[in-house]
Structure formats: structure tokens, C-alpha cells
């Protein structure tokens, strides 16, 4: 990963980079429009030979003017290259078209974050998700997930599941190594993890602990999959410090959940889990730590998503630096029995025991 202790640019390079930042919203929409209008797909089929503007217009149905003005910007952004008189798709254009992570990030930014980010300064100053009003009238985005505009909802869940689903095979093996009979899934969302668990182990009983709106969605999914008897719901607002948690689980599971809260809120949640769990129970936390990433692009993605939390989610949460997070774990009365980094697309699994 990048050494952040040094400035990587000369003065001229820094000035060039500043112009890219100044026009980055225009470059972003250029890339998305090239993808959505099918121009990148047309060039992809043409491979290294490329096509001229007239040919691209005929194959894509986009006007010659539209083709040229978009692709000339794409030349400056290195999305395509020029082999006179043809445009040729470049590596960057290829990944914009084909890479699943890029698609999930691009759509999430466009459909969920873009308009809201105009309110980032306000969100920072006030400590509130000031951009959320672009999507709906809720205190945090979590109360409104089931009622988001359809395109925003689709992109939100595609983004969320893209990063979590690829970790499931490794995670199931690790969690079921100790043969838990009962698992509490805190922040279970639509029930994807609970469904994975009941499919993996024929005896395990799952309880999803989440907001009532999320429980409703999760229970609907459990019924449709035929697991209504083995997946139960426990409506709870984890920000309510007076609300007692259920007891009796062999394992407590929190996947990309605690990053939705401020440090003091995380501390409170973990303290209440510690109070409710029995002495032999295990606590599993799956998180994305930006400083534990192998690649620069992953760290950038996580730090950018932290600003989604700032501006849209709740105004005070983020993807944490691992050492900051572990300080909270220790303050809550836990020690890390095992830490596994680099699961799936950069997840870290913490297995906790009481101190």
C-alpha cells in the first residue's frame, strides 16, 4: 500500500492532478454515460482495431456529436486511446465495462451518494447526515432502506452485498468450526448471512437482531426460502442503551455493522453484548479496515465510503483504522482471540473473548 508519509507529486504533477479533481464530476459522468449508452460495449467488441465516430454512432444509436464529445473527454481521462481515425478502448475503459467492483462502486456513487455529497460541508459542520434529504426524510438511512427510491435501493444493496458475499465460504467454515447451535446475527439486514448459516448447518438456529423495518424484510426472505422455523427476528434499536439484548447464543455475529456507529456507540453495543453473552460464547466481528488493505484502490474505496456514512448514513460513523477499532474492543472488556485479515475483498474477521 502507498507510503502516505511522502508527497508523491512534483509541483507540475500536483497542478495537473488538481485539474483532474476540479473536473472529476464531469469525468465521472462521462464514464458512466459511455457505459450506459453502450459506447464502451461497442468499442470492446471492436478490440484493438477500434472504430471511427461514424461507425460508433451507427452501432450505438448515439449521435455523432454525442460520440465525439464523450470520447474526446474519454481520451483525456485515458478511458480510450486514439488510432486515427479510430477510438480504441483502453484498459481503464475495459474495467469500467467489465469489473464488478467498479460497477458496484460507480452505481452506488451515482444513485445513492452523488446529489447528497453536495451537502458534505454541512454534514461535517453539524455532525448529521445532511445529504440524506436528497433521498428521503429519515433520521438515518437505515430507517429508510426499505423505502429508498428503487434505483438507489438496488444500487445500495448491490454495493453492500458485493463486498460481503464473497467472504461467505471462508467465514462459514471459521464460525462453524466450534459447532454453534444458536447464533445471534446483529444487524442482519435482509437475512443473507442467516440464510447462509441455515443452509450450511441443518441444526443451527438463527436470531436476527435489527430495526423493525429490516426484520420485516429479513423474515419475508426467510419465509420465501422455507426457513421461517429456524430464523427468528428480534426487533431492536441498538442505539437504545436501555434495550436489553436476548440471551442464550453460542455465537454473536456482526458483519459490517459496527462501522455504522460512532466510537462511543460501538463501545456501548459491545458492552451490552458482553453483558448478555454466556461465558463460553464467541463474538465474531467482520469489518473492513482501510489500513489493512493490500491495494491502494481498496483503501481509497473505503475512505470514500466513510464519507457516505458522514453525509448520508448517520453523520458520525466510518470505516475505521484497525488500531482505533481495537482500542474500543479492549475498552469494552474483550480481547482478540484470533484475527484473520484479507478475507474476500479485504475483510478482517475478529474472534473475541471476554478479557
Amino acid at each position: 500500500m502507498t507510503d502516505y508519509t511522502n508527497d508523491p507529486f512534483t509541483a507540475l504533477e500536483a497542478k495537473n492532478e488538481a485539474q483532474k479533481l476540479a473536473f472529476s464530476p464531469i469525468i465521472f459522468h462521462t464514464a458512466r454515460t459511455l457505459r450506459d449508452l453502450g459506447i464502451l460495449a461497442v468499442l470492446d467488441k471492436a478490440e484493438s482495431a477500434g472504430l471511427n465516430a461514424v461507425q460508433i454512432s451507427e452501432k450505438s444509436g448515439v449521435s455523432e456529436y454525442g460520440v465525439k464529445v464523450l470520447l474526446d473527454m474519454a481520451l483525456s481521462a485515458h478511458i480510450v486511446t486514439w488510432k486515427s481515425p479510430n477510438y480504441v478502448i483502453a484498459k481503464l475503459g475495459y474495467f469500467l465495462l467489465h469489473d464488478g467492483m467498479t460497477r458496484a462502486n460507480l452505481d452506488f456513487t451515482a444513485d445513492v451518494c452523488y446529489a447528497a455529497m453536495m451537502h458534505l460541508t454541512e454534514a461535517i459542520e453539524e455532525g448529521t447526515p445532511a445529504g440524506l434529504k436528497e433521498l428521503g426524510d429519515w433520521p438515518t438511512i437505515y430507517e429508510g432502506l426499505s423505502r429508498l427510491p428503487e434505483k438507489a435501493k438496488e444500487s445500495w444493496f448491490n454495493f453492500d452485498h458485493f463486498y460481503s458475499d464473497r467472504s461467505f465460504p471462508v467465514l462459514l467454515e471459521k464460525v462453524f468450526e466450534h459447532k454453534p447451535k444458536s447464533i445471534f446475527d446483529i444487524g442482519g439486514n435482509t437475512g443473507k448471512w442467516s440464510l447462509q448459516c441455515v443452509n450450511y448447518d441443518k441444526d443451527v438456529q438463527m436470531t436476527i437482531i435489527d430495526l423493525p423495518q429490516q426484520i420485516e424484510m429479513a423474515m419475508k426472505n426467510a419465509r420465501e426460502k422455507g426457513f421461517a422455523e429456524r430464523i427468528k427476528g428480534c426487533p431492536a434499536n441498538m442505539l437504545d442503551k436501555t434495550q436489553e439484548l436476548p440471551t442464550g447464543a453460542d455465537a454473536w455475529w456482526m458483519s459490517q455493522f459496527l462501522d455504522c456507529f460512532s466510537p462511543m456507540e460501538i463501545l456501548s453495543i459491545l458492552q451490552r453484548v458482553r453483558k448478555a453473552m454466556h461465558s463460553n460464547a464467541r463474538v465474531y466481528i467482520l469489518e473492513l479496515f482501510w489500513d489493512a488493505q493490500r491495494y491502494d484502490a481498496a483503501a481509497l474505496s473505503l475512505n470514500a465510503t466513510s464519507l457516505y456514512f458522514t453525509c448520508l448514513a448517520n453523520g458520525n460513523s466510518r470505516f475505521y483504522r484497525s488500531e482505533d477499532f481495537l482500542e474500543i474492543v479492549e475498552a469494552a472488556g474483550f480481547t482478540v482471540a484470533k484475527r484473520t485479515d484479507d478475507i474476500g475483498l479485504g475483510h478482517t474477521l475478529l474472534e473475541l473473548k471476554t478479557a
Side-chain angles (χ1 to χ4, degrees):
M1 199 164 73
T2 295
D3 175 8
Y4 294 108
T5 60
N6 295 312
D7 187 338
F9 301 127
T10 65
L12 180 58
E13 289 169 343
K15 188 172 182 177
N16 287 337
E17 290 297 316
Q19 308 324 303
K20 294 178 185 178
L21 284 175
F23 288 104
S24 57
I26 296 172
I27 298 170
F28 173 86
H29 281 297
T30 297
R32 191 165 183 257
T33 300
L34 285 168
R35 185 198 69 178
D36 291 351
L37 291 183
I39 293 173
L40 287 181
V42 166
L43 285 175
D44 188 48
K45 290 179 181 176
E47 298 182 334
S48 59
L51 295 168
N52 63 42
V54 173
Q55 293 169 320
I56 297 168
S57 176
E58 290 173 349
K59 291 179 180 294
S60 67
V62 178
S63 70
E64 186 179 342
Y65 165 80
V67 166
K68 285 184 174 179
V69 74
L70 287 168
L71 286 177
D72 287 350
M73 180 67 252
L75 285 170
S76 292
H78 306 296
I79 296 169
V80 297
T81 60
W82 179 248
K83 189 186 290 184
S84 183
N86 291 353
Y87 296 95
V88 181
I89 193 167
K91 294 182 182 71
L92 179 52
Y94 176 89
F95 284 107
L96 284 167
L97 183 63
H98 292 291
D99 181 57
M101 179 186 293
T102 303
R103 176 172 291 275
N105 289 347
L106 200 71
D107 289 344
F108 177 74
T109 299
D111 300 326
V112 179
C113 301
Y114 200 90
M117 282 297 156
M118 288 295 292
H119 304 279
L120 180 58
T121 301
E122 180 186 353
I124 292 289
E125 289 177 339
E126 296 182 357
T128 63
L132 183 55
K133 53 180 166 278
E134 296 288 345
L135 296 176
D137 184 20
W138 310 289
T140 71
I141 201 169
Y142 307 110
E143 287 93 338
L145 279 179
S146 62
R147 293 174 286 159
L148 286 175
E150 199 56 39
K151 185 62 178 169
K153 181 162 64 174
E154 178 185 354
S155 294
W156 192 97
F157 281 109
N158 285 344
F159 177 82
D160 183 64
H161 292 159
F162 181 86
Y163 285 97
S164 60
D165 291 5
R166 284 153 180 78
S167 306
F168 283 161
V170 173
L171 297 171
L172 288 166
E173 183 178 333
K174 288 184 176 296
V175 171
F176 282 92
E177 178 184 355
H178 302 291
K179 309 293 184 186
K181 296 301 181 185
S182 171
I183 300 175
F184 289 172
D185 181 2
I186 305 180
N189 210 333
T190 60
K192 270 213 161 189
W193 170 252
S194 288
L195 286 167
Q196 291 283 327
C197 288
V198 293
N199 273 302
Y200 186 86
D201 185 293
K202 64 181 179 61
D203 297 317
V204 71
Q205 296 287 323
M206 302 296 301
T207 299
I208 298 174
I209 303 171
D210 210 329
L211 294 168
Q213 304 93 316
Q214 302 307 104
I215 293 293
E216 184 178 347
M217 283 196 296
M219 292 303 97
K220 178 176 180 292
N221 290 334
R223 288 192 298 272
E224 289 176 353
K225 299 293 185 181
F227 290 110
E229 294 302 313
R230 293 175 57 202
I231 300 178
K232 305 299 181 183
C234 177
N237 181 354
M238 296 302 293
L239 290 177
D240 182 355
K241 296 180 182 179
T242 67
Q243 192 163 30
E244 293 188 2
L245 296 178
T247 59
D250 301 315
W252 296 69
W253 173 261
M254 287 168 273
S255 171
Q256 289 179 223
F257 174 68
L258 292 176
D259 53 54
C260 300
F261 301 96
S262 70
M264 292 307 296
E265 289 166 347
I266 295 172
L267 178 62
S268 172
I269 291 167
L270 289 179
Q271 286 173 332
R272 280 177 280 150
V273 168
R274 188 176 186 276
K275 181 180 177 182
M277 62 188 283
H278 64 69
S279 58
N280 294 322
R282 289 174 167 82
V283 175
Y284 296 93
I285 297 174
L286 184 71
E287 275 300 338
L288 288 155
F289 299 121
W290 76 262
D291 62 320
Q293 301 306 305
R294 186 187 304 180
Y295 301 110
D296 290 346
L300 184 149
S301 296
L302 294 180
N303 283 327
T305 307
S306 285
L307 291 172
Y308 145 79
F309 287 123
T310 302
C311 200
L312 275 137
N314 57 15
N316 61 7
S317 62
R318 60 166 303 162
F319 285 122
Y320 288 88
R321 185 190 294 268
S322 58
E323 61 191 49
D324 293 341
F325 191 90
L326 292 174
E327 286 179 2
I328 305 171
V329 167
E330 183 180 355
F334 288 102
T335 59
V336 178
K338 187 183 297 183
R339 172 177 172 169
T340 308
D341 289 323
D342 205 25
I343 299 172
L345 292 172
H347 286 80
T348 293
L349 180 66
L350 302 176
E351 181 182 331
L352 307 184
K353 63 180 182 181
T354 55

